Amino acid sequence: MRLLTTMVVGIVLLCLGVLFINYVVLSTPNATAYRNLDPSQTACRDGLAKGWSILADLGRKTLDNDQGAESGGWEDASNDERTAIAQDAGWRTRLRCALQRHLVPSTKPGGKPLDYHLGFLEFQETGEPYALVSRNARGRDEAMTSAMLKDKMQAAPHRPGADGEAQPVITQLDALKQHLSTGSHYVIVFIHGWRHDARIGDGNVADLRLYAAHAARVLQERCQIEASACDTKVTAIYVGWRGARVDEQGLKERFGDTVGGFLGNLSAGATLFDRKPVSEAIAPAAVSALRTLESVLAPPLGHKPDDPRARNKMLVVGHSLGGNMLATGLKEDLVKAVRRHKLGQVMPPVLGNLVLLINPASEATKWTAIQREVWSRVATHADSNTPLSEVQRDTGFFPAAQRPVMVSMTAALAFPAGGLRAGDCAWIGLDADDGYQDARARIRDRLKSTDAMFDAGVDYDWATHDLFPTFKFDFRPAAGWLRRAAGRIEHRRPAGESCSEAEPGDWLTRLEALPIHGLALLAETFPFQDSSRETSHTIGNLDPPRPAAGVLADAQPSAAPFGTTHELLGLHASGEERHRPYATLADAPISCPPTNRWLSRARTRQDAQFGLYWDSENLAPAERGVRGQGVPAAEFLHGLQFAGIAPITAANDPFWNMRAFDNALARHDGYRLTSFICAIHQLVLDDITGVPQDMISTMR
């Protein structure tokens, strides 16, 4: 008894010690803005006038010949703010500007630089915004209280003074409103997730610069054929919050990347519980701020056709817990939009022109709540109570001109969705003239790719597939990870992963894997787990259950038609596509041509099936009189291909929950492939269905 008491006390003290280290010793500062220097200050004003090319200039010097051929964990050595500070400490102040202008110069004779603006919106854990400071402040001025902010707002209103001179900008939001109030803009909003913030040197800030430079390159390329693209400027907006509870960057600076990185991973692992509620608390403030910017970008009613604001576009991206922030903040709006939707009308965007969730760390219920509203209003399949005529009518609940409103993309584990059954492999291996020959051949080709991924280690999103459910007290996905780990030791593939069996190991390897199998069994059978997949699994890791009847190519309606709806494939084999470093984007041999009408053409090709199973690589003939009818840079597929499950959404449904393969989107942070970035920009910039964006914006 005494021993048990001692063990319990020891465990409690250990937990308290870990909490003390995480939340006191290694804690990041609370209520601190990192990019709050007023744009009117000299350092910021000069940068906005001339533009900064320092990051690209230094970046080209750091690149070696092999740069860019790495995997989903690739880090861009040419896009690091700390390199600029190491050369000149003055950049520590300049990079704190709330609004910046960056250039990526061209090294070719006559080449044009890429030019874009970068702005910041930071929020306290309460959702309050930060005031701008007018000098290189520290201490008291660095973290302005809400009372100080209110006083300054009363002293300096948001309108021109009586003498015509503009009053001082008060918040980061005000700076962005002023910047976006004139001209034509393509705005890219990025909301970061867990273990990140807006501090100088943060990797997610670098990721947004990469996306912005790509967007500038896309517009520069389209300027040759679209006059409106020549006058459109790119503005990237980074939404910052205290997603990093542990100062991992400081640990690396003190102890080096290896030791500091290990300590950071160990300490940060326990903070997901703490940071997820914060992302949800901030959601209303973040969404309201973005709606404010949306209103600035919107053209007035009755505007002239040549009004530059009619060309404004806005993409809102949330990654990880940033995706959770958007899913939380927009769920009720989307549910209401579906309830109010009228048969055959185009549903307008809910925020900006498109909301994109990348590997969202958010419960699937925040997506299935929307799906259930659609499901309750349409007939999905005919039965004794539902005539076929109702099903046919409801395929037009959303018209063929409907664009996506919200898209979620998650790096999936394997093909097909839901895995393989024992009888599937026998059916796949059949050589019979039963009408499924072509389907079997395609499935075998796809499984070869899955086998290669398994042998190399599948680049799926481990954080949302395995770690998130574990924190929700569902250990079954973690048990699957243990089974796969044991299978690699034994040179075997777990059941359901593949039809081919690797050469089994000897008795020693099986003995080595035995403890892992034991842990997997314990995780699978641990009592009182959360058995609801919709509450413990994330948005992109909830596949609809496969019907009991049918084969992989014989799609049957699922009894629970909620979860993933589409698939995304890269057009290159996994690992073959080269990453393009930031500093090289002005001259890199890449192309992202217009893809007007691709979605309407894909749906038209499948008219015989009411548009179901449309494929961006299988399009109807080009429409006459429409320029730029290319295909997307990645393959978009409706439905879950060869999974034995009928599509759970109609072909025109505006809510896409996509399972992405690792040759398009890899790991938790592998969203930096050029093809992926291009495909995202094409969804927003192009008239993919025949309804221009400015027409949709007036429907709201």
Side-chain angles (χ1 to χ4, degrees):
M1 187 67 180
R2 182 177 298 176
L3 177 61
L4 179 61
T5 302
T6 303
M7 290 178 61
V8 171
V9 172
I11 292 173
V12 171
L13 290 175
L14 177 62
C15 292
L16 290 175
V18 171
L19 291 174
F20 177 78
I21 291 173
N22 279 352
Y23 296 107
V24 179
V25 179
L26 302 178
S27 178
T28 55
N30 191 14
T32 296
Y34 299 98
R35 314 283 185 145
N36 60 344
L37 197 58
D38 195 314
S40 65
Q41 294 303 294
T42 302
C44 305
R45 189 174 62 248
D46 291 347
L48 291 172
K50 300 176 182 178
W52 295 332
S53 63
I54 182 69
L55 297 177
D57 292 338
L58 293 177
R60 276 194 297 272
K61 297 178 182 178
T62 65
L63 294 174
D64 53 46
N65 293 331
D66 296 328
Q67 182 68 31
E70 296 146 51
S71 64
W74 172 73
E75 293 184 6
D76 190 353
S78 75
N79 187 10
D80 191 343
E81 293 173 319
R82 292 168 295 184
T83 305
I85 293 173
Q87 185 191 66
D88 179 0
W91 285 104
R92 190 178 299 278
T93 298
R94 300 181 196 108
L95 291 170
R96 288 185 55 236
C97 294
L99 184 63
Q100 307 170 8
R101 181 182 169 204
H102 290 270
L103 304 175
V104 180
S106 170
T107 59
K108 293 182 178 179
K112 295 182 179 179
L114 304 180
D115 187 341
Y116 65 91
H117 285 82
L118 174 63
F120 293 86
L121 269 177
E122 297 178 75
F123 294 93
Q124 302 180 43
E125 294 196 6
T126 60
E128 293 184 52
Y130 287 100
L132 295 173
V133 296
S134 57
R135 62 182 185 278
N136 188 19
R138 289 291 183 266
R140 178 177 60 84
D141 290 328
E142 182 71 28
M144 300 194 99
T145 64
S146 58
M148 294 170 65
L149 175 58
K150 292 176 183 177
D151 290 342
K152 289 180 71 67
M153 290 177 70
Q154 293 173 358
H158 300 198
R159 60 180 183 270
D163 57 359
E165 294 184 3
Q167 295 292 327
V169 173
I170 305 305
T171 66
Q172 294 167 321
L173 180 60
D174 292 311
L176 288 168
K177 287 169 60 180
Q178 182 175 323
H179 169 67
L180 297 175
S181 61
T182 59
S184 176
H185 301 269
Y186 175 31
V187 178
I188 308 165
V189 178
F190 183 91
I191 307 177
H192 68 80
W194 184 37
R195 301 172 68 175
H196 290 274
D197 49 35
R199 74 180 60 197
I200 293 174
D202 189 275
N204 277 179
V205 179
D207 293 338
L208 180 56
R209 285 195 298 268
L210 184 72
Y211 269 64
H214 269 286
R217 170 70 185 261
V218 171
L219 290 173
Q220 191 180 92
E221 179 181 349
R222 294 174 186 216
C223 177
Q224 308 299 320
I225 57 175
E226 298 177 13
S228 61
C230 304
D231 299 324
T232 301
K233 306 300 181 184
V234 174
T235 296
I237 300 174
Y238 187 87
V239 177
W241 58 287
R242 197 181 177 206
R245 190 64 174 76
V246 173
D247 187 2
E248 296 182 61
Q249 190 178 124
L251 285 171
K252 289 182 180 180
E253 291 173 356
R254 293 190 190 104
F255 302 107
D257 289 345
T258 302
V259 176
F262 172 77
L263 293 174
N265 289 332
L266 189 65
S267 299
T271 65
L272 181 60
F273 278 122
D274 176 54
R275 295 299 90 195
K276 183 175 179 292
V278 173
S279 71
E280 292 164 354
I282 296 171
V287 170
S288 66
L290 295 180
R291 291 204 188 285
T292 299
L293 295 180
E294 184 182 37
S295 66
V296 173
L297 293 168
L301 292 175
H303 65 275
K304 296 180 179 179
D306 59 348
D307 191 321
R309 286 171 293 183
R311 299 194 297 270
N312 286 338
K313 295 179 176 64
M314 182 173 169
L315 166 67
V316 183
V317 181
H319 174 245
S320 186
L321 285 181
N324 181 56
M325 190 183 298
L326 287 173
T328 301
L330 296 174
K331 186 186 79 169
E332 299 303 329
D333 284 339
L334 288 166
V335 167
K336 180 180 178 180
V338 174
R339 289 176 180 172
R340 292 171 56 85
H341 183 71
K342 295 181 180 179
L343 178 72
Q345 290 189 356
V346 172
M347 175 177 283
V350 67
L351 181 62
N353 295 99
L354 178 68
V355 174
L356 172 65
L357 316 180
I358 300 179
N359 288 326
S362 186
E363 296 90 347
T365 51
K366 293 174 183 175
W367 190 279
T368 58
I370 304 165
Q371 288 183 319
R372 278 186 164 82
E373 290 296 330
V374 177
W375 177 81
S376 68
R377 298 201 58 193
V378 300
T380 55
H381 63 278
D383 54 31
S384 58
N385 298 313
T386 308
L388 180 61
S389 60
E390 287 190 21
V391 178
Q392 294 174 338
R393 178 202 65 196
D394 288 351
T395 59
F397 184 66
F398 299 106
Q402 178 68 59
R403 300 173 67 101
V405 168
M406 186 159 76
V407 176
S408 173
M409 295 181 176
T410 300
L413 174 59
F415 169 86
L420 296 166
R421 293 176 178 169
D424 288 337
C425 292
W427 177 83
I428 291 170
L430 285 177
D431 185 15
D433 186 10
D434 56 1
Y436 291 129
Q437 299 94 311
D438 292 341
R440 276 195 290 266
R442 292 182 63 182
I443 292 172
R444 284 194 289 265
D445 289 342
R446 193 78 65 81
L447 286 175
K448 288 179 183 178
S449 174
T450 303
D451 292 344
M453 288 193 298
F454 180 87
D455 293 336
V458 182
D459 278 340
Y460 71 104
D461 182 14
W462 177 85
T464 62
H465 186 277
D466 301 332
L467 183 61
F468 187 96
T470 299
F471 276 99
K472 301 288 286 186
F473 213 70
D474 180 357
F475 307 128
R476 292 167 296 179
W481 179 85
L482 290 169
R483 294 290 189 196
R484 291 189 293 275
R488 289 192 183 90
I489 294 174
E490 297 175 317
H491 309 298
R492 295 178 181 272
R493 297 186 177 96
E497 296 287 339
S498 173
C499 286
S500 61
E501 186 66 57
E503 188 68 25
D506 55 23
W507 67 271
L508 187 60
T509 59
R510 292 196 295 273
L511 182 64
E512 185 180 352
L514 190 59
I516 303 178
H517 281 298
L519 287 174
L521 180 62
L522 176 63
E524 288 170 345
T525 58
F526 197 85
F528 310 116
Q529 294 190 53
D530 184 352
S531 60
S532 172
R533 296 171 66 243
E534 286 192 37
T535 59
S536 67
H537 286 47
T538 56
I539 289 172
N541 288 301
L542 178 71
D543 295 329
R546 180 178 166 186
V551 295
L552 288 173
D554 181 23
Q556 299 288 331
S558 174
F562 310 107
T564 54
T565 61
H566 295 66
E567 292 183 322
L568 179 71
L569 281 72
L571 300 179
H572 303 271
S574 182
E576 285 189 0
E577 183 180 359
R578 294 178 61 89
H579 288 88
R580 298 295 177 180
Y582 170 82
T584 69
L585 289 180
D587 301 323
I590 56 178
S591 179
C592 187
T595 57
N596 296 319
R597 305 296 202 276
W598 79 258
L599 184 54
S600 56
R601 292 169 61 202
R603 290 166 175 169
T604 300
R605 174 67 78 180
Q606 296 296 106
D607 268 349
Q609 301 183 58
F610 302 103
L612 299 178
Y613 289 121
W614 55 255
D615 182 345
S616 64
E617 288 290 295
N618 183 24
L619 305 180
E623 299 180 20
R624 291 184 179 181
V626 179
R627 300 177 64 184
Q629 298 189 59
V631 296
E635 185 176 6
F636 294 84
L637 298 162
H638 175 256
L640 307 179
Q641 301 286 314
F642 302 118
I645 307 170
I648 64 172
T649 61
N652 306 333
D653 193 280
F655 307 109
W656 299 3
N657 187 356
M658 309 195 76
R659 305 175 73 253
F661 287 74
D662 69 349
N663 60 351
L665 173 63
R667 304 181 185 178
H668 190 59
D669 61 349
Y671 48 80
R672 294 182 290 269
L673 282 174
T674 296
S675 60
F676 180 82
I677 299 173
C678 172
I680 299 307
H681 290 321
Q682 288 170 330
L683 283 177
V684 180
L685 292 173
D686 296 337
D687 177 14
I688 61 177
T689 64
V691 178
Q693 292 277 22
D694 58 332
M695 288 182 60
I696 293 178
S697 65
T698 62
M699 298 177 186
R700 276 189 272 183

